[in-house]
Amino acid sequence: MPSYPKGLRFERIVVPTPYKVGPANVYVFTAEPITLFDCGPNTPAAENALMLGLASHGLDPAQISRVIISHGHPDHYGLAPRIREISGAEIAIGEHDAAKLADNSMLVATGKLLLEEGMPMEELVDMGKRERGLGNLRPRIGDLRLLHSGERVSFAGFELEVLHLPGHTAGHVCLFHRPSGFLFSGDTLLLHISPNPLLEPDPTDPTERRRSLLEYIRTLDVLASLPLTRVFPGHGPFIDDPSRLIEEMRRHHRERADDLAGMLRDEGRSAWQLANQLFAHLEGFDNFLAVSEVVAHIDLLVEQGRAQPFQRDGVTYYRLPRS
């Protein structure tokens, strides 16, 4: 861990996850009130790693006053109810991701969207069975504090600014220490992975699909405008050249959109068909990630006038635009 800027006090604890993305980072702000930024998945292995990590920094879990969740994915919030049980900690999340923790309505709506993008029902059912086989990874959490962009989170000696930076999810929030230029980015910036702009319903209208990549490109513009010096992500090592990484993300998304433009046909193809051409040997949760990747980049092509969606038998297809 690099040295602290003056006044900012935090530690990183790495916890395992059952997902291919690998271990997740939990950031512990050790000034009062002691606060976690993310907390890892609801698994015995992650809980053990978190408790050992806290002890290694001389902390008892009963001391934790707050858990701030970057976004509503189970590898980042799953242990929050356990921490609340131990310490009574407040749990906070961005206002547009709170519904993911409250009930399963967002999951049901996302499943409907996947079917509309051509995923076969049997694949959707299999994906659900695989996740349930890993345990209770999506515990329900009520009594949440809703975070809003621009508000300050205060500690003894410093404060962090909440930034709403959607794309990976609708309600993703990051924490920014403006005096140092340090950003705690969750899954908004990752060193070796392009954050997937996930398929999900619009939080303000679950009957509509949000345009995840279009949101993420605007988020990259916001990030590029900030005086970032170092980024601490939700997975992997810290990022010492955020400006370069932001440009790499922009280039990646342009190139992926170009790849998909070359795969379109006059008769139209579904996102499911395109995903299985773009990625080999998909199974389980990877199906969701692949369809999300395709739909997000097709949205970019549609905005640029390079693709045209149409409906057939309840499924959305995409084709070359007709003059």
Short mmCIF file of all heavy atoms in Angstrom, two decimals, residues 158-212:
data_model
loop_
_atom_site.label_atom_id
_atom_site.label_comp_id
_atom_site.label_asym_id
_atom_site.label_seq_id
_atom_site.Cartn_x
_atom_site.Cartn_y
_atom_site.Cartn_z
N PHE A 158 -10.47 14.42 7.82
CA PHE A 158 -10.63 14.53 6.37
C PHE A 158 -12.06 14.22 5.99
O PHE A 158 -12.87 13.77 6.81
CB PHE A 158 -9.66 13.59 5.63
CG PHE A 158 -9.93 12.12 5.83
CD1 PHE A 158 -10.70 11.40 4.93
CD2 PHE A 158 -9.41 11.45 6.93
CE1 PHE A 158 -10.95 10.04 5.11
CE2 PHE A 158 -9.65 10.09 7.12
CZ PHE A 158 -10.41 9.39 6.21
N GLU A 159 -12.38 14.45 4.74
CA GLU A 159 -13.69 14.07 4.22
C GLU A 159 -13.53 13.55 2.80
O GLU A 159 -12.55 13.84 2.10
CB GLU A 159 -14.68 15.23 4.26
CG GLU A 159 -14.34 16.40 3.36
CD GLU A 159 -15.40 17.50 3.41
OE1 GLU A 159 -16.22 17.50 4.33
OE2 GLU A 159 -15.38 18.36 2.50
N LEU A 160 -14.49 12.74 2.39
CA LEU A 160 -14.52 12.17 1.05
C LEU A 160 -15.78 12.63 0.34
O LEU A 160 -16.84 12.75 0.96
CB LEU A 160 -14.49 10.63 1.12
CG LEU A 160 -13.28 10.01 1.81
CD1 LEU A 160 -13.48 8.49 1.95
CD2 LEU A 160 -12.00 10.31 1.03
N GLU A 161 -15.66 12.85 -0.95
CA GLU A 161 -16.79 13.31 -1.76
C GLU A 161 -17.41 12.11 -2.48
O GLU A 161 -16.70 11.30 -3.07
CB GLU A 161 -16.30 14.33 -2.77
CG GLU A 161 -17.38 14.93 -3.64
CD GLU A 161 -16.83 15.95 -4.63
OE1 GLU A 161 -15.66 16.36 -4.47
OE2 GLU A 161 -17.57 16.32 -5.56
N VAL A 162 -18.72 12.00 -2.41
CA VAL A 162 -19.44 10.96 -3.13
C VAL A 162 -19.65 11.39 -4.57
O VAL A 162 -20.16 12.48 -4.84
CB VAL A 162 -20.81 10.68 -2.47
CG1 VAL A 162 -21.61 9.66 -3.29
CG2 VAL A 162 -20.63 10.19 -1.03
N LEU A 163 -19.22 10.54 -5.51
CA LEU A 163 -19.42 10.80 -6.93
C LEU A 163 -20.31 9.70 -7.51
O LEU A 163 -19.98 8.52 -7.40
CB LEU A 163 -18.09 10.81 -7.68
CG LEU A 163 -17.04 11.82 -7.22
CD1 LEU A 163 -15.77 11.67 -8.05
CD2 LEU A 163 -17.57 13.25 -7.30
N HIS A 164 -21.42 10.08 -8.10
CA HIS A 164 -22.28 9.13 -8.80
C HIS A 164 -21.74 8.97 -10.20
O HIS A 164 -21.78 9.91 -11.01
CB HIS A 164 -23.73 9.63 -8.82
CG HIS A 164 -24.64 8.79 -9.66
ND1 HIS A 164 -25.59 9.33 -10.51
CD2 HIS A 164 -24.75 7.44 -9.79
CE1 HIS A 164 -26.24 8.36 -11.12
NE2 HIS A 164 -25.74 7.20 -10.71
N LEU A 165 -21.19 7.78 -10.51
CA LEU A 165 -20.54 7.53 -11.80
C LEU A 165 -21.12 6.26 -12.40
O LEU A 165 -20.55 5.17 -12.28
CB LEU A 165 -19.02 7.42 -11.60
CG LEU A 165 -18.35 8.72 -11.13
CD1 LEU A 165 -16.90 8.48 -10.76
CD2 LEU A 165 -18.47 9.81 -12.19
N PRO A 166 -22.26 6.37 -13.07
CA PRO A 166 -22.95 5.18 -13.59
C PRO A 166 -22.26 4.61 -14.82
O PRO A 166 -21.41 5.25 -15.45
CB PRO A 166 -24.34 5.72 -13.93
CG PRO A 166 -24.09 7.16 -14.27
CD PRO A 166 -23.00 7.61 -13.33
N GLY A 167 -22.67 3.42 -15.16
CA GLY A 167 -22.14 2.70 -16.32
C GLY A 167 -22.12 1.22 -16.01
O GLY A 167 -22.92 0.46 -16.54
N HIS A 168 -21.22 0.81 -15.12
CA HIS A 168 -21.20 -0.59 -14.69
C HIS A 168 -22.54 -0.95 -14.06
O HIS A 168 -23.09 -2.02 -14.32
CB HIS A 168 -20.05 -0.79 -13.72
CG HIS A 168 -19.87 -2.20 -13.25
ND1 HIS A 168 -19.67 -3.26 -14.11
CD2 HIS A 168 -19.87 -2.73 -11.99
CE1 HIS A 168 -19.55 -4.38 -13.41
NE2 HIS A 168 -19.68 -4.08 -12.13
N THR A 169 -23.06 -0.08 -13.22
CA THR A 169 -24.44 -0.16 -12.75
C THR A 169 -25.02 1.25 -12.78
O THR A 169 -24.29 2.24 -12.92
CB THR A 169 -24.57 -0.71 -11.30
OG1 THR A 169 -24.06 0.26 -10.38
CG2 THR A 169 -23.83 -2.03 -11.14
N ALA A 170 -26.33 1.32 -12.58
CA ALA A 170 -27.00 2.63 -12.64
C ALA A 170 -26.65 3.52 -11.47
O ALA A 170 -26.62 4.74 -11.60
CB ALA A 170 -28.52 2.43 -12.69
N GLY A 171 -26.39 2.91 -10.31
CA GLY A 171 -26.19 3.70 -9.10
C GLY A 171 -24.79 3.67 -8.55
O GLY A 171 -24.57 3.97 -7.37
N HIS A 172 -23.81 3.30 -9.36
CA HIS A 172 -22.44 3.15 -8.88
C HIS A 172 -21.93 4.47 -8.30
O HIS A 172 -22.05 5.52 -8.93
CB HIS A 172 -21.53 2.69 -10.02
CG HIS A 172 -20.23 2.13 -9.56
ND1 HIS A 172 -19.31 2.86 -8.83
CD2 HIS A 172 -19.68 0.90 -9.71
CE1 HIS A 172 -18.27 2.10 -8.56
NE2 HIS A 172 -18.47 0.90 -9.09
N VAL A 173 -21.34 4.40 -7.10
CA VAL A 173 -20.73 5.58 -6.50
C VAL A 173 -19.25 5.30 -6.22
O VAL A 173 -18.84 4.17 -5.95
CB VAL A 173 -21.43 6.02 -5.21
CG1 VAL A 173 -22.85 6.49 -5.49
CG2 VAL A 173 -21.41 4.94 -4.14
N CYS A 174 -18.46 6.36 -6.31
CA CYS A 174 -17.05 6.33 -5.95
C CYS A 174 -16.82 7.36 -4.85
O CYS A 174 -17.65 8.25 -4.64
CB CYS A 174 -16.18 6.66 -7.16
SG CYS A 174 -16.41 5.56 -8.57
N LEU A 175 -15.70 7.23 -4.15
CA LEU A 175 -15.33 8.18 -3.11
C LEU A 175 -14.05 8.89 -3.53
O LEU A 175 -13.06 8.24 -3.88
CB LEU A 175 -15.12 7.47 -1.76
CG LEU A 175 -16.33 6.73 -1.19
CD1 LEU A 175 -15.98 6.05 0.13
CD2 LEU A 175 -17.53 7.67 -1.00
N PHE A 176 -14.07 10.22 -3.46
CA PHE A 176 -12.96 11.03 -3.96
C PHE A 176 -12.39 11.88 -2.84
O PHE A 176 -13.11 12.62 -2.17
CB PHE A 176 -13.46 11.92 -5.09
CG PHE A 176 -12.38 12.71 -5.79
CD1 PHE A 176 -11.15 12.15 -6.08
CD2 PHE A 176 -12.62 14.02 -6.17
CE1 PHE A 176 -10.17 12.87 -6.73
CE2 PHE A 176 -11.66 14.75 -6.83
CZ PHE A 176 -10.42 14.18 -7.12
N HIS A 177 -11.07 11.76 -2.64
CA HIS A 177 -10.35 12.63 -1.71
C HIS A 177 -9.69 13.72 -2.54
O HIS A 177 -8.61 13.54 -3.10
CB HIS A 177 -9.31 11.82 -0.92
CG HIS A 177 -8.62 12.62 0.13
ND1 HIS A 177 -7.28 12.92 0.07
CD2 HIS A 177 -9.08 13.18 1.28
CE1 HIS A 177 -6.93 13.61 1.15
NE2 HIS A 177 -8.01 13.79 1.89
N ARG A 178 -10.38 14.83 -2.66
CA ARG A 178 -9.96 15.87 -3.61
C ARG A 178 -8.58 16.46 -3.29
O ARG A 178 -7.79 16.73 -4.23
CB ARG A 178 -11.03 16.97 -3.67
CG ARG A 178 -10.88 17.91 -4.84
CD ARG A 178 -12.10 18.80 -4.99
NE ARG A 178 -13.25 18.09 -5.52
CZ ARG A 178 -13.49 17.94 -6.82
NH1 ARG A 178 -12.66 18.45 -7.72
NH2 ARG A 178 -14.57 17.29 -7.22
N PRO A 179 -8.21 16.67 -2.01
CA PRO A 179 -6.88 17.25 -1.76
C PRO A 179 -5.73 16.43 -2.32
O PRO A 179 -4.71 16.99 -2.73
CB PRO A 179 -6.83 17.32 -0.22
CG PRO A 179 -8.25 17.40 0.21
CD PRO A 179 -9.00 16.54 -0.77
N SER A 180 -5.86 15.11 -2.34
CA SER A 180 -4.78 14.25 -2.82
C SER A 180 -4.99 13.76 -4.24
O SER A 180 -4.05 13.26 -4.88
CB SER A 180 -4.64 13.03 -1.90
OG SER A 180 -5.79 12.20 -2.00
N GLY A 181 -6.23 13.83 -4.74
CA GLY A 181 -6.54 13.25 -6.04
C GLY A 181 -6.72 11.75 -6.00
O GLY A 181 -6.72 11.09 -7.03
N PHE A 182 -6.91 11.18 -4.80
CA PHE A 182 -7.13 9.74 -4.65
C PHE A 182 -8.61 9.44 -4.87
O PHE A 182 -9.49 10.06 -4.26
CB PHE A 182 -6.73 9.27 -3.26
CG PHE A 182 -5.25 9.03 -3.07
CD1 PHE A 182 -4.31 9.64 -3.89
CD2 PHE A 182 -4.79 8.20 -2.07
CE1 PHE A 182 -2.95 9.43 -3.72
CE2 PHE A 182 -3.44 7.97 -1.88
CZ PHE A 182 -2.52 8.59 -2.71
N LEU A 183 -8.88 8.45 -5.73
CA LEU A 183 -10.25 8.01 -6.00
C LEU A 183 -10.39 6.55 -5.62
O LEU A 183 -9.57 5.71 -6.03
CB LEU A 183 -10.58 8.17 -7.49
CG LEU A 183 -11.98 7.73 -7.91
CD1 LEU A 183 -13.03 8.76 -7.46
CD2 LEU A 183 -12.07 7.51 -9.42
N PHE A 184 -11.43 6.23 -4.85
CA PHE A 184 -11.79 4.85 -4.54
C PHE A 184 -12.92 4.50 -5.50
O PHE A 184 -14.04 4.99 -5.37
CB PHE A 184 -12.19 4.74 -3.07
CG PHE A 184 -11.05 5.13 -2.15
CD1 PHE A 184 -10.86 6.46 -1.79
CD2 PHE A 184 -10.15 4.19 -1.69
CE1 PHE A 184 -9.80 6.84 -0.98
CE2 PHE A 184 -9.08 4.55 -0.89
CZ PHE A 184 -8.90 5.89 -0.53
N SER A 185 -12.58 3.67 -6.50
CA SER A 185 -13.39 3.63 -7.72
C SER A 185 -14.36 2.47 -7.82
O SER A 185 -15.10 2.39 -8.81
CB SER A 185 -12.47 3.60 -8.94
OG SER A 185 -11.78 2.36 -9.04
N GLY A 186 -14.39 1.53 -6.84
CA GLY A 186 -15.25 0.37 -7.03
C GLY A 186 -14.90 -0.31 -8.35
O GLY A 186 -13.73 -0.55 -8.65
N ASP A 187 -15.91 -0.60 -9.16
CA ASP A 187 -15.67 -1.23 -10.46
C ASP A 187 -15.74 -0.25 -11.62
O ASP A 187 -15.86 -0.65 -12.78
CB ASP A 187 -16.69 -2.36 -10.68
CG ASP A 187 -16.35 -3.62 -9.91
OD1 ASP A 187 -15.34 -3.63 -9.18
OD2 ASP A 187 -17.11 -4.60 -10.03
N THR A 188 -15.63 1.04 -11.35
CA THR A 188 -15.70 2.02 -12.42
C THR A 188 -14.40 2.08 -13.21
O THR A 188 -14.41 2.28 -14.43
CB THR A 188 -16.07 3.40 -11.86
OG1 THR A 188 -17.40 3.35 -11.36
CG2 THR A 188 -16.01 4.48 -12.92
N LEU A 189 -13.27 1.93 -12.54
CA LEU A 189 -11.97 1.80 -13.20
C LEU A 189 -11.24 0.61 -12.61
O LEU A 189 -11.07 0.53 -11.38
CB LEU A 189 -11.13 3.06 -13.02
CG LEU A 189 -11.37 4.25 -13.96
CD1 LEU A 189 -10.41 5.39 -13.61
CD2 LEU A 189 -11.22 3.86 -15.43
N LEU A 190 -10.82 -0.32 -13.46
CA LEU A 190 -10.06 -1.49 -13.06
C LEU A 190 -8.84 -1.58 -13.96
O LEU A 190 -8.92 -1.32 -15.16
CB LEU A 190 -10.90 -2.77 -13.18
CG LEU A 190 -12.20 -2.80 -12.37
CD1 LEU A 190 -13.04 -4.03 -12.78
CD2 LEU A 190 -11.93 -2.83 -10.88
N LEU A 191 -7.70 -1.98 -13.39
CA LEU A 191 -6.45 -1.89 -14.14
C LEU A 191 -6.39 -2.85 -15.33
O LEU A 191 -5.99 -2.47 -16.42
CB LEU A 191 -5.26 -2.15 -13.20
CG LEU A 191 -3.87 -1.91 -13.80
CD1 LEU A 191 -3.73 -0.49 -14.32
CD2 LEU A 191 -2.78 -2.22 -12.78
N HIS A 192 -6.79 -4.10 -15.13
CA HIS A 192 -6.59 -5.11 -16.17
C HIS A 192 -7.90 -5.62 -16.78
O HIS A 192 -7.88 -6.57 -17.55
CB HIS A 192 -5.81 -6.29 -15.60
CG HIS A 192 -4.45 -5.91 -15.08
ND1 HIS A 192 -3.52 -5.28 -15.86
CD2 HIS A 192 -3.88 -6.06 -13.86
CE1 HIS A 192 -2.42 -5.06 -15.14
NE2 HIS A 192 -2.62 -5.52 -13.94
N ILE A 193 -9.03 -5.00 -16.43
CA ILE A 193 -10.33 -5.46 -16.90
C ILE A 193 -11.14 -4.25 -17.33
O ILE A 193 -11.13 -3.22 -16.66
CB ILE A 193 -11.11 -6.20 -15.79
CG1 ILE A 193 -10.25 -7.27 -15.11
CG2 ILE A 193 -12.39 -6.82 -16.33
CD1 ILE A 193 -10.84 -7.79 -13.83
N SER A 194 -11.86 -4.40 -18.42
CA SER A 194 -12.82 -3.37 -18.80
C SER A 194 -14.12 -3.61 -18.04
O SER A 194 -14.74 -4.66 -18.20
CB SER A 194 -13.08 -3.42 -20.31
OG SER A 194 -14.14 -2.56 -20.66
N PRO A 195 -14.54 -2.68 -17.18
CA PRO A 195 -15.80 -2.88 -16.45
C PRO A 195 -16.96 -3.12 -17.41
O PRO A 195 -17.16 -2.35 -18.35
CB PRO A 195 -15.97 -1.57 -15.67
CG PRO A 195 -14.59 -1.00 -15.58
CD PRO A 195 -13.90 -1.40 -16.85
N ASN A 196 -17.70 -4.18 -17.17
CA ASN A 196 -18.80 -4.53 -18.07
C ASN A 196 -19.97 -3.56 -17.87
O ASN A 196 -20.46 -3.43 -16.75
CB ASN A 196 -19.25 -5.97 -17.81
CG ASN A 196 -20.13 -6.52 -18.91
OD1 ASN A 196 -21.18 -5.96 -19.20
ND2 ASN A 196 -19.71 -7.61 -19.52
N PRO A 197 -20.41 -2.87 -18.93
CA PRO A 197 -21.61 -2.01 -18.82
C PRO A 197 -22.85 -2.90 -18.85
O PRO A 197 -23.36 -3.25 -19.90
CB PRO A 197 -21.51 -1.10 -20.04
CG PRO A 197 -20.65 -1.84 -21.02
CD PRO A 197 -19.83 -2.84 -20.28
N LEU A 198 -23.33 -3.26 -17.69
CA LEU A 198 -24.26 -4.38 -17.56
C LEU A 198 -25.67 -4.07 -18.03
O LEU A 198 -26.18 -2.96 -17.88
CB LEU A 198 -24.30 -4.85 -16.11
CG LEU A 198 -23.01 -5.54 -15.63
CD1 LEU A 198 -23.11 -5.88 -14.17
CD2 LEU A 198 -22.71 -6.78 -16.44
N LEU A 199 -26.28 -5.09 -18.58
CA LEU A 199 -27.69 -5.05 -18.96
C LEU A 199 -28.53 -5.03 -17.69
O LEU A 199 -28.43 -5.92 -16.84
CB LEU A 199 -28.03 -6.30 -19.78
CG LEU A 199 -29.47 -6.44 -20.27
CD1 LEU A 199 -29.68 -5.57 -21.51
CD2 LEU A 199 -29.76 -7.89 -20.62
N GLU A 200 -29.35 -4.02 -17.56
CA GLU A 200 -30.26 -3.96 -16.41
C GLU A 200 -31.34 -2.93 -16.68
O GLU A 200 -31.18 -2.05 -17.53
CB GLU A 200 -29.51 -3.64 -15.11
CG GLU A 200 -28.84 -2.30 -15.06
CD GLU A 200 -28.15 -2.04 -13.73
OE1 GLU A 200 -27.86 -3.00 -13.00
OE2 GLU A 200 -27.90 -0.86 -13.42
N PRO A 201 -32.45 -3.04 -15.96
CA PRO A 201 -33.53 -2.08 -16.16
C PRO A 201 -33.17 -0.70 -15.66
O PRO A 201 -32.30 -0.54 -14.79
CB PRO A 201 -34.69 -2.68 -15.35
CG PRO A 201 -34.05 -3.58 -14.36
CD PRO A 201 -32.81 -4.10 -15.00
N ASP A 202 -33.83 0.29 -16.19
CA ASP A 202 -33.67 1.66 -15.71
C ASP A 202 -34.26 1.73 -14.30
O ASP A 202 -35.39 1.31 -14.08
CB ASP A 202 -34.43 2.61 -16.65
CG ASP A 202 -34.17 4.06 -16.32
OD1 ASP A 202 -34.36 4.45 -15.15
OD2 ASP A 202 -33.79 4.81 -17.22
N PRO A 203 -33.50 2.24 -13.32
CA PRO A 203 -34.02 2.26 -11.95
C PRO A 203 -35.25 3.13 -11.76
O PRO A 203 -36.02 2.92 -10.82
CB PRO A 203 -32.83 2.78 -11.13
CG PRO A 203 -32.00 3.54 -12.11
CD PRO A 203 -32.16 2.82 -13.41
N THR A 204 -35.45 4.08 -12.65
CA THR A 204 -36.63 4.94 -12.52
C THR A 204 -37.83 4.38 -13.27
O THR A 204 -38.96 4.82 -13.05
CB THR A 204 -36.33 6.36 -13.03
OG1 THR A 204 -35.98 6.29 -14.43
CG2 THR A 204 -35.17 6.97 -12.25
N ASP A 205 -37.59 3.41 -14.17
CA ASP A 205 -38.67 2.78 -14.94
C ASP A 205 -38.23 1.37 -15.30
O ASP A 205 -37.62 1.15 -16.35
CB ASP A 205 -39.00 3.58 -16.20
CG ASP A 205 -40.17 2.97 -16.99
OD1 ASP A 205 -40.72 1.94 -16.53
OD2 ASP A 205 -40.53 3.53 -18.04
N PRO A 206 -38.52 0.37 -14.44
CA PRO A 206 -38.04 -1.00 -14.66
C PRO A 206 -38.54 -1.65 -15.94
O PRO A 206 -38.04 -2.70 -16.33
CB PRO A 206 -38.56 -1.75 -13.42
CG PRO A 206 -38.76 -0.70 -12.39
CD PRO A 206 -39.20 0.52 -13.14
N THR A 207 -39.53 -1.03 -16.62
CA THR A 207 -39.98 -1.58 -17.89
C THR A 207 -39.05 -1.18 -19.05
O THR A 207 -39.17 -1.70 -20.15
CB THR A 207 -41.40 -1.13 -18.23
OG1 THR A 207 -41.42 0.30 -18.43
CG2 THR A 207 -42.36 -1.49 -17.09
N GLU A 208 -38.13 -0.27 -18.78
CA GLU A 208 -37.19 0.20 -19.80
C GLU A 208 -35.78 -0.27 -19.47
O GLU A 208 -35.44 -0.48 -18.32
CB GLU A 208 -37.21 1.73 -19.88
CG GLU A 208 -38.53 2.31 -20.38
CD GLU A 208 -38.79 1.99 -21.84
OE1 GLU A 208 -37.81 1.91 -22.62
OE2 GLU A 208 -39.97 1.81 -22.20
N ARG A 209 -34.98 -0.44 -20.50
CA ARG A 209 -33.58 -0.82 -20.33
C ARG A 209 -32.70 0.43 -20.37
O ARG A 209 -32.84 1.27 -21.25
CB ARG A 209 -33.17 -1.78 -21.44
CG ARG A 209 -31.69 -2.18 -21.40
CD ARG A 209 -31.37 -3.21 -22.46
NE ARG A 209 -31.53 -2.74 -23.83
CZ ARG A 209 -30.67 -1.95 -24.47
NH1 ARG A 209 -29.59 -1.49 -23.85
NH2 ARG A 209 -30.91 -1.60 -25.72
N ARG A 210 -31.79 0.54 -19.41
CA ARG A 210 -30.90 1.68 -19.45
C ARG A 210 -29.79 1.46 -20.49
O ARG A 210 -29.46 0.32 -20.83
CB ARG A 210 -30.31 1.97 -18.07
CG ARG A 210 -29.27 0.99 -17.59
CD ARG A 210 -28.83 1.30 -16.17
NE ARG A 210 -27.73 0.42 -15.79
CZ ARG A 210 -26.45 0.74 -15.91
NH1 ARG A 210 -26.11 1.92 -16.37
NH2 ARG A 210 -25.51 -0.12 -15.54
N ARG A 211 -29.21 2.53 -20.96
CA ARG A 211 -28.14 2.47 -21.97
C ARG A 211 -26.80 2.57 -21.24
O ARG A 211 -26.21 3.64 -21.08
CB ARG A 211 -28.31 3.59 -22.98
CG ARG A 211 -29.21 3.29 -24.19
CD ARG A 211 -30.43 2.50 -23.88
NE ARG A 211 -31.23 2.16 -25.07
CZ ARG A 211 -32.35 1.47 -25.01
NH1 ARG A 211 -32.81 1.01 -23.85
NH2 ARG A 211 -33.02 1.19 -26.11
N SER A 212 -26.33 1.41 -20.79
CA SER A 212 -25.21 1.34 -19.84
C SER A 212 -23.92 1.94 -20.40
O SER A 212 -23.22 2.69 -19.71
CB SER A 212 -24.96 -0.11 -19.44
OG SER A 212 -26.13 -0.71 -18.96
#
